[in-house]
């Protein structure tokens, strides 16, 4: 595809529900990043993949957050037992290599009610 | 670790007037600096970046920024704005041997006719 795509674009979940957010990176991009952007804030790093390997998950806020990229392409960010504080825009970015420019998707806006 | 402070949360400006968005960073290591723009309901788009070399960096859409190491600043400027420049602007930093981007809280630019 032409860019990074994310789905769904909007998600409303009741507190306690599980959600799964999908990211389709640019074809051929080895590196994939997830960021969380709370309302009125800049994005904050969550986790990083190189191909299928999750090399850094230091930004995940709790063990309710889980990310995977099983075939080194599409990635899914899963949040279990959602809480109100999980409400945010979740951004995915991909890059050719680790230190190359990161290209961002449009984000998924998650609202937990 | 690095951190970024964007000194203005909102900047209203008239069309064809100049604009400057201020960004200061802190880091104990050498850094790369970036400015991203986010249009409504879209992902982040890279405007320009400083990696090394000339401290004056030119980017897309007529924007430029100047890296000032002594003042730890990377202010963004445009001599004449258009209505279409209305967006949110994020300054970001990462260590030269790192991959995690640290973002400021953003500056909302509103251009009025």
């Amino acid at each position: 595809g032409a860019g990074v795509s994310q789905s769904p674009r909007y998600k409303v979940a009741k507190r306690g529900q599980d959600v799964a957010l999908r990211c389709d990176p640019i074809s051929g991009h080895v590196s994939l990043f997830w960021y969380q952007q709370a309302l009125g804030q800049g994005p904050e790093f969550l986790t990083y993949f190189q191909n299928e390997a999750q090399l850094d998950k230091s930004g995940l806020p709790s063990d309710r957050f889980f990310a995977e990229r099983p075939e080194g392409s599409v990635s899914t960010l899963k949040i279990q037992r959602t809480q109100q504080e999980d409400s945010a825009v979740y951004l995915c970015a991909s890059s050719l290599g680790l230190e190359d420019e990161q290209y961002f998707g449009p984000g998924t806006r998650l609202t937990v009610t | 670790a690095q951190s970024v402070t964007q000194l203005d949360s909102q900047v209203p400006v008239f069309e064809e007037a100049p604009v400057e968005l201020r960004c200061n960073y802190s880091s104990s290591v050498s850094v790369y600096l970036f400015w991203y723009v986010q249009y409504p309901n879209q992902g982040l788009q890279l405007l320009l970046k400083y990696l090394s070399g000339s401290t004056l960096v030119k980017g897309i859409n007529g924007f430029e920024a100047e890296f000032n190491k002594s003042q730890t600043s990377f202010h963004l400027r445009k001599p004449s704005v258009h209505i279409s420049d209305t967006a949110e602007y994020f300054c970001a930093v990462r260590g030269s041997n790192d991959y995690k981007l640290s973002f400021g809280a953003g500056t909302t630019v509103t251009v009025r006719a």
Side-chain angles (χ1 to χ4, degrees):
Chain A
V4 179
S5 60
Q6 293 185 246
S7 61
R9 292 293 314 278
Y10 303 91
K11 177 69 179 177
V12 178
K14 286 187 168 41
R15 194 169 68 173
Q17 281 184 335
D18 298 349
V19 298
L21 314 179
R22 177 187 168 107
C23 171
D24 282 83
I26 293 172
S27 178
H29 278 195
V30 168
S31 300
L32 185 144
F33 306 81
W34 283 98
Y35 293 84
Q36 179 191 57
Q37 185 177 13
L39 189 65
Q41 300 298 316
E44 291 195 0
F45 171 83
L46 293 177
T47 186
Y48 158 67
F49 289 86
Q50 182 171 311
N51 294 308
E52 70 279 2
Q54 188 176 20
L55 299 185
D56 186 344
K57 50 183 180 180
S58 61
L60 296 177
S62 79
D63 58 8
R64 296 185 295 103
F65 286 70
F66 171 75
E68 60 183 6
R69 193 185 185 197
E71 296 178 0
S73 178
V74 170
S75 177
T76 304
L77 177 67
K78 297 179 179 177
I79 309 174
Q80 298 177 323
R81 305 181 302 283
T82 52
Q83 304 295 314
Q84 272 196 310
E85 62 263 27
D86 300 335
S87 295
V89 175
Y90 290 86
L91 295 167
C92 175
S94 70
S95 65
L96 202 55
L98 183 54
E99 296 185 14
D100 293 313
E101 177 183 341
Q102 294 181 27
Y103 293 85
F104 284 81
T108 294
R109 182 178 298 277
L110 172 66
T111 304
V112 182
T113 60
Chain B
Q2 294 79 42
S3 67
V4 176
T5 302
Q6 291 184 243
L7 297 158
D8 309 291
S9 59
Q10 302 210 20
V11 173
V13 58
F14 285 107
E15 193 175 18
E16 297 184 9
V19 71
E20 178 180 79
L21 307 185
R22 296 178 294 168
C23 172
N24 285 89
Y25 69 93
S26 67
S27 177
S28 57
V29 299
S30 62
V31 295
Y32 297 154
L33 293 152
F34 306 82
W35 274 99
Y36 285 86
V37 60
Q38 188 174 33
Y39 299 105
N41 298 316
Q42 293 187 30
L44 298 168
Q45 180 183 1
L46 182 66
L47 273 178
L48 48 76
K49 60 187 175 187
Y50 172 79
L51 304 182
S52 64
S54 172
T55 57
L56 182 63
V57 180
K58 293 191 185 298
I60 62 171
N61 300 342
F63 284 93
E64 64 180 32
E66 184 149 23
F67 170 57
N68 188 318
K69 189 173 181 180
S70 63
Q71 296 187 3
T72 60
S73 68
F74 191 54
H75 300 331
L76 180 71
R77 300 183 184 95
K78 185 168 182 178
S80 175
V81 295
H82 302 294
I83 300 285
S84 58
D85 292 322
T86 294
E88 185 135 23
Y89 293 80
F90 292 95
C91 182
V93 63
R94 69 172 172 88
S96 56
N97 291 321
D98 200 352
Y99 48 82
K100 296 182 202 178
L101 286 168
S102 297
F103 287 85
T107 298
T108 302
V109 173
T110 305
V111 182
R112 303 169 181 166

